[in-house]
């Protein structure tokens, strides 16, 4: 049985972390994995901190990622690192906006998808699979700009 | 029939399970984390759903549907069941004809609630069977099972959910679906009119049903045993069972799906089959108390784990008997009123005037945090009016005149009207002031409609709008003032000061729409899809 992979997203309400968790969820779901996604929202529309957990593998039990368990931590801003670092396991990977040139984003609201691009470098899923998921989760008029953001994050 | 796998939230799964169970009407009141059940249900083909003005009315409408011989789901958050408790305790006596499921969502850890009460206590207190799913597949399956149990024993059934189950997405493979039964009324006076003479036998009948359901739960209830260790046994319910399986892969886990009435015989046999047994449950020690009362030997849970949500790490600590201080997670950024929120102007003004604010529940409760820090009390929906009146009745004049009840339009419709009736009837000596923050929506829970918006759950016109001002005037309020808090600040300030100085009963309606609702409605008007 393969190990469960734990990916934690952290940001503020309205920054799009739920969307990018859904995109990754779609990728791993389409690849036939068991998937669990947990999030805490409610008052999130008013800009408070939120996190979202995605776990996948052959069989996932608990939907939550506890402290020290995350293989990947994706933060929407450098200011989110401090509050969430404790989730990373030893040797876990932090993905953050400074991993690529944020200024090159044509639309700042695509930062979430660019971060997924940066995350995708550490995962072995084919690019086309990611693109399918981006298109499936976002309305058509946003496809092009988000695909570009993804590739920027991925460094291609 | 479809065997396609889908990734869906617990709330979506309950909605789909309800459709596949053949439900005639979904009714509920919004409340995190339960809200999306009805919103998703309403989007499914041929599914009819509506918001009630509060949970009590929701349950009563549901009882009517079930008395008429067809199926209904009633949704609410945990504190909503307090509001609906009155009908609950007596419909447990009468029972139902068509299937009735109450989907009630608890919020251990209080992600978005004013308390972390445990709804399982209601199941026991009222005598209503309770099922508890651990993930979306179980939410789907148990919704259907709940309808079956409800119809087999003619008893309402609670489907207890939690924030984690409602808002987590996991894989669901849907199965077959049933037709909606035709509604048909048959009179049963002794069964449904609960005068004491008819209620006494009804109570006994209910207890007999529960005994049968317990026997069924022992023999074939949804309580699988996983693993076969003879050392450590764990009894767990809902999502805690998943944490437990992961925290102790070598233990034998009894995963309880029906938590009331408990399958006590099966539980005691399970305890006998292991050297040591622990119960892993969030919130109150509900299972533990029952098991101990039945003579089951279990290691009691440490008190610190009653609070908040469990996860794998905390479950490991419970198993290890670790009572050491837990590391407090670093604090994130607290939520705030949106920039441009109409509540901002209102609270800036009330702060300047220096009122004592008996507050209420909604986005505007955030005014308790900096920069406003302008709310003195918040207990429950509608509480602002009664609490304000109580203070006005007993405080010395100078302090009494400062008391202002502040309530949102949604909350006013939910449970503010009876407070106004009390104010008219039991008039405080120095009058009273109610400010209704009318942003034209139930914003806090995700912008739902209510009777005062004149729209139904799907945002279509309902035909009539319940007018706040006409209602207050008709009830006998001395003075009703309507103004825009952002545009008419001076008039607003004057109105509040005048009202506080006079002995009138004044209602000030601060009317300006929530900016997120404006954006959402513009999308709807353009024909775009909204959440
Ligand atoms: C009994 C009960 N039911 C539901 C809720 C969930 N809830 C919290 S605030 C709220 C209503 C908020 O609407 P409104 O008063 O109009 O204020 P707004 O958020 O729009 O400012 C609801 C339904 C609750 N706290 N208690
Ligand atoms: S959602 Fe609406 S009512 Fe709530 S804080 Fe934002 S603007 Fe104000």
């Amino acid at each position: 049985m393969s190990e469960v992979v734990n990916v934690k997203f952290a940001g503020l309400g309205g920054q799009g972390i739920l969307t990018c968790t859904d995109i990754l969820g779609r990728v791993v779901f389409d690849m036939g994995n068991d998937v669990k996604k947990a999030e805490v929202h409610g008052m999130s529309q008013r800009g408070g901190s939120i996190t979202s957990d995605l776990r996948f593998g052959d069989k996932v039990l608990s939907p939550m990622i506890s402290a020290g368990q995350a293989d990947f931590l994706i933060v929407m801003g450098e200011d989110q690192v401090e509050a969430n670092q404790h989730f990373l396991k030893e040797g876990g990977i932090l993905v953050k906006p400074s991993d690529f040139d944020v200024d090159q984003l044509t639309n700042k609201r695509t930062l979430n998808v660019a971060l997924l691009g940066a995350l995708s470098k550490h995962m072995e899923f084919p690019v086309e699979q990611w693109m399918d998921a981006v298109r499936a989760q976002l309305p058509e008029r946003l496809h092009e700009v988000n695909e570009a953001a993804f590739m920027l994050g991925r460094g291609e | 029939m479809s065997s396609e796998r889908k990734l869906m939230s617990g709330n979506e799964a309950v909605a789909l399970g309800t459709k596949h169970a053949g439900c005639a009407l979904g009714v509920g009141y919004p409340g995190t984390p339960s809200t999306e059940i009805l919103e998703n249900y309403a989007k499914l083909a041929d599914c009819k759903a509506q918001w009630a003005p509060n949970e009590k009315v929701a349950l009563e409408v549901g009882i009517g549907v079930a008395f008429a011989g067809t199926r209904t789901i009633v949704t609410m958050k945990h504190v909503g069941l307090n509001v609906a408790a009155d009908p609950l305790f007596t419909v447990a006596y009468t029972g139902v004809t068509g299937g009735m499921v109450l989907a009630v969502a608890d919020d251990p850890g209080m992600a978005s609630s004013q308390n972390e009460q445990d709804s399982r206590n209601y199941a026991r207190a009222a005598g209503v069977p309770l099922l508890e799913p651990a993930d979306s597949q179980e939410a789907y399956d148990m919704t259907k099972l709940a309808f079956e149990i409800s119809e087999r024993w003619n008893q309402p059934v609670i489907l207890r959910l939690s924030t984690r189950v409602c808002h987590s997405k996991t894989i669901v493979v849907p199965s077959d679906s049933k037709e909606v039964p035709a509604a048909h009324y048959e009179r049963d006076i002794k069964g449904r009119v609960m005068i004491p003479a008819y209620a006494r036998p009804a109570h006994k009948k209910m207890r007999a049903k529960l005994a049968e359901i317990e026997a069924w739960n022992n023999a074939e209830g949804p309580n699988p045993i996983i693993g076969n260790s003879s050392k450590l046994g764990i009894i767990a319910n809902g999502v805690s069972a998943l944490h437990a399986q992961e925290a102790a892969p070598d233990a034998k886990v009894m995963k309880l799906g029906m938590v009331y009435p408990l399958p006590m015989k099966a539980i005691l046999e399970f305890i006998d089959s292991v050297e040591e047994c622990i119960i892993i449950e969030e919130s109150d020690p509900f299972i533990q108390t029952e098991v101990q009362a039945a003579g089951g030997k279990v290691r009691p849970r440490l008190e610190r784990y009653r609070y908040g949500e469990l996860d794998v790490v905390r479950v490991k600590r419970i198993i290890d008997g670790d009572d050491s201080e837990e590391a407090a997670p670093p604090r994130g950024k607290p939520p705030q009123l949106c920039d441009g929120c109409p509540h901002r102007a209102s609270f800036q003004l009330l702060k300047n005037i220096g009122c004592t604010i008996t507050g209420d529940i909604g986005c505007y409760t955030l005014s308790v945090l900096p920069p406003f820090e302008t709310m003195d009390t918040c207990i429950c929906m509608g509480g602002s009016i009664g609490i304000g009146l109580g203070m006005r009745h007993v405080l010395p004049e100078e302090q009494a005149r400062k008391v202002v009840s502040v309530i949102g339009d949604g909350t006013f419709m939910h449970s503010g009207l009876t407070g106004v009736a009390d104010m008219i009837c039991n008039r405080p000596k120095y009058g009273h002031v109610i400010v209704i923050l009318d942003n034209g929506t139930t914003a806090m829970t995700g912008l739902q409609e209510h009777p005062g918006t004149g729209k139904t759950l799907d945002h279509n016109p309902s035909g009539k709008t319940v007018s706040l001002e006409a209602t207050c005037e008709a009830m006998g309020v001395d003075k009703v003032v309507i103004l825009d808090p952002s545009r008419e600040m001076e008039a607003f300030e004057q109105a509040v000061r005048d009202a506080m100085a006079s002995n009138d009963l004044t209602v000030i309606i601060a009317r300006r729409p929530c900016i997120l609702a404006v954006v959402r409605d513009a999308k709807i008007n353009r024909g775009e899809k909204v959440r």
Side-chain angles (χ1 to χ4, degrees):
Chain A
M1 188 167 125
S2 76
E3 283 287 297
V4 170
V5 178
N6 296 328
V7 187
K8 187 139 200 143
F9 295 85
L12 301 178
Q15 286 182 327
I17 78 160
L18 302 185
T19 305
C20 68
T21 317
D22 278 331
I23 293 171
L24 175 59
R26 166 77 66 146
V27 171
V28 296
F29 173 82
D30 287 345
M31 303 290 290
N33 288 284
D34 189 14
V35 190
K36 288 194 173 164
K37 175 198 164 204
E39 65 201 31
V40 172
H41 58 73
M43 313 226 290
S44 50
Q45 59 192 194
R46 284 158 294 273
S49 305
I50 52 172
T51 63
S52 171
D53 296 356
L54 194 98
R55 311 189 68 202
F56 62 93
D58 287 346
K59 171 106 191 112
V60 182
L61 292 165
S62 168
M64 292 159 72
I65 301 172
S66 317
Q69 281 193 346
D71 298 284
F72 299 96
L73 171 66
I74 293 93
V75 294
M76 292 293 301
E78 314 287 328
D79 56 348
Q80 296 292 313
V81 176
E82 196 187 320
N84 294 290
Q85 192 131 36
H86 67 286
F87 285 114
L88 264 187
K89 66 164 63 146
E90 250 183 68
I93 293 172
L94 175 68
V95 177
K96 52 190 191 311
S98 58
D99 291 357
F100 46 90
D101 185 1
V102 181
D103 292 335
Q104 281 192 40
L105 282 177
T106 43
N107 179 341
K108 292 280 172 268
R109 298 201 48 84
T110 58
L111 174 64
N112 57 344
V113 173
L115 284 163
L116 274 184
L119 172 69
S120 75
K121 285 189 292 187
H122 305 285
M123 293 183 164
E124 55 207 32
F125 308 122
V127 178
E128 226 4 78
Q129 201 77 41
W130 288 95
M131 289 303 175
D132 284 349
V134 168
R135 287 189 285 264
Q137 292 300 133
L138 294 170
E140 201 174 332
R141 65 190 157 83
L142 299 177
H143 286 181
E144 205 174 312
V145 63
N146 278 287
E147 284 167 26
F150 184 88
M151 294 318 277
L152 175 76
R154 197 177 161 88
E156 285 177 19
Chain B
M1 188 131 171
S2 143
S3 58
E4 209 187 325
R5 61 201 268 284
K6 297 180 176 174
L7 188 58
M8 49 170 79
S9 71
N11 283 345
E12 289 168 327
V14 173
L16 190 65
T18 302
K19 177 182 166 65
H20 288 176
C23 175
L25 182 67
V27 49
Y29 187 74
T32 312
S34 71
T35 314
E36 301 87 355
I37 299 173
L38 221 51
E39 289 178 334
N40 281 299
Y41 179 72
K43 286 183 195 148
L44 298 172
D46 306 320
C47 290
K48 191 169 171 335
Q50 59 198 41
W51 293 127
N54 69 27
E55 293 86 353
K56 177 174 184 287
V57 177
L59 179 51
E60 289 155 351
V61 171
I63 293 171
V65 173
F67 279 177
T70 187
R71 300 188 190 120
T72 184
I73 185 156
V74 182
T75 72
M76 61 193 69
K77 71 183 289 172
H78 60 342
V79 287
L81 198 50
N82 301 333
V83 178
D86 199 6
L88 176 72
F89 277 69
T90 305
V91 75
Y93 280 21
T94 62
V96 289
T97 308
M100 183 164 98
V101 175
L102 262 89
V104 180
D106 285 9
D107 189 12
M110 294 174 277
S112 184
S113 302
Q114 68 266 38
N115 73 27
E116 53 184 336
Q117 67 185 55
D118 185 335
S119 296
R120 296 177 298 174
N121 296 305
Y122 271 114
R124 177 173 51 195
V128 176
L130 181 144
L131 293 171
E132 185 164 0
D135 60 17
S136 302
Q137 180 71 58
E138 288 188 12
Y140 173 83
D141 293 335
M142 283 190 190
T143 302
K144 293 164 86 177
L145 178 63
F147 275 104
E148 279 168 30
I149 293 169
S150 176
E151 284 190 0
R152 177 163 171 195
W153 280 282
N154 301 113
Q155 193 68 355
V157 173
I158 295 176
L159 183 73
R160 180 196 187 223
L161 305 160
S162 67
T163 304
R164 279 301 155 188
V165 174
C166 291
H167 286 168
S168 292
K169 283 192 180 173
T170 72
I171 291 173
V172 176
V173 180
S175 50
D176 57 335
S177 64
K178 286 194 176 148
E179 294 290 317
V180 181
H184 167 72
Y185 185 63
E186 268 179 49
R187 207 171 191 197
D188 174 13
I189 296 179
K190 288 189 178 170
R192 297 196 187 120
V193 182
M194 290 295 100
I195 56 171
Y198 299 157
R200 285 183 201 113
H203 184 193
K204 292 195 175 137
K205 197 169 151 194
M206 175 194 86
R207 295 289 158 200
K209 282 187 206 173
L210 289 173
E212 278 186 36
I213 296 169
E214 179 172 341
W216 171 85
N217 199 20
N218 273 312
E220 50 185 309
N223 313 304
I225 292 174
I226 301 133
N228 47 19
S229 156
S230 57
K231 282 202 163 134
L232 178 65
I234 295 176
I235 300 171
N237 63 320
V239 73
S240 309
L242 298 176
H243 303 324
Q245 277 178 264
E246 189 163 329
D250 297 329
K252 178 153 81 168
V253 178
M254 182 180 205
K255 188 159 172 289
L256 293 179
M258 185 185 255
V259 174
Y260 186 81
L262 282 168
M264 199 52 83
K265 188 166 155 279
I267 288 176
L268 295 177
E269 281 167 12
F270 178 84
I271 295 173
D272 278 344
S273 76
V274 289
E275 278 172 30
E276 188 184 28
C277 189
I278 312 180
I279 292 171
I280 305 284
E281 55 187 325
E282 273 173 341
S283 303
D284 293 341
F286 179 88
I287 303 170
Q288 179 179 305
T289 308
E290 294 279 301
V291 168
Q292 285 176 328
K297 276 214 168 48
V298 291
R299 166 147 58 92
R301 180 184 66 182
L302 293 162
E303 182 61 10
R304 69 169 63 246
Y305 301 103
R306 174 198 287 260
Y307 308 99
E309 270 190 303
L310 297 181
D311 63 5
V312 173
V313 167
R314 295 191 85 201
V315 168
K316 277 191 185 143
R317 289 173 57 106
I318 296 177
I319 295 169
D320 296 343
D322 187 345
D323 202 13
S324 65
E325 214 42 61
E326 296 174 87
R331 284 195 66 84
K333 187 167 172 264
Q336 280 186 342
L337 292 171
C338 300
D339 289 337
C341 172
H343 297 331
R344 285 184 173 268
S346 299
F347 281 99
Q348 192 51 55
L349 178 103
L350 294 166
K351 185 181 171 95
N352 294 348
I353 297 176
C355 308
T356 299
I357 295 186
T358 57
D360 225 300
I361 308 196
C363 281
Y364 48 89
T365 312
L366 291 170
S367 67
V368 69
L369 301 178
F372 303 106
E373 297 175 276
T374 305
M375 190 171 283
D376 289 84
T377 67
C378 170
I379 297 290
C380 62
M381 284 185 77
S384 58
I385 301 182
I387 295 166
L389 290 169
M391 288 189 176
R392 283 247 176 186
H393 286 310
V394 297
L395 284 174
E397 177 174 357
E398 192 203 339
Q399 289 194 336
R401 287 196 181 280
K402 282 193 171 167
V403 178
V404 176
S405 297
V406 176
I407 184 169
D409 54 326
T411 301
F412 188 77
M413 283 294 159
H414 175 277
S415 47
L417 294 163
T418 42
V420 175
D422 182 54
M423 174 174 84
I424 309 284
C425 166
N426 297 307
R427 190 183 178 103
K429 191 169 167 197
Y430 307 111
H432 190 43
V433 192
I434 300 174
V435 175
I436 305 179
L437 301 174
D438 180 10
N439 61 357
T441 186
T442 318
M444 172 89 175
T445 45
L447 311 173
Q448 288 77 29
E449 309 294 347
H450 61 70
T453 69
K455 290 179 192 160
T456 53
L457 183 143
D458 54 10
H459 311 295
N460 286 319
S462 57
K464 285 242 176 187
T465 305
V466 178
S467 155
L468 298 176
E469 51 272 35
T471 304
C472 291
E473 274 162 8
M475 288 176 90
V477 171
D478 299 326
K479 198 171 171 195
V480 178
V481 185
I482 305 166
L483 32 75
D484 178 332
S486 307
R487 296 275 165 86
E488 299 172 274
M489 290 199 76
E490 274 172 37
F492 191 3
E493 176 158 358
Q494 199 55 50
V496 176
R497 289 194 189 277
D498 289 351
M500 288 165 72
S502 83
N503 294 341
D504 288 345
L505 303 177
T506 308
V507 170
I508 299 171
I509 301 175
R511 179 167 288 155
R512 187 176 180 84
C514 156
I515 53 166
L516 295 193
V518 170
V519 171
R520 195 266 322 266
D521 290 344
K523 271 192 189 165
I524 293 177
N525 290 338
R526 288 198 301 269
E528 281 178 36
K529 237 175 76 183
V530 291
R531 186 183 68 86

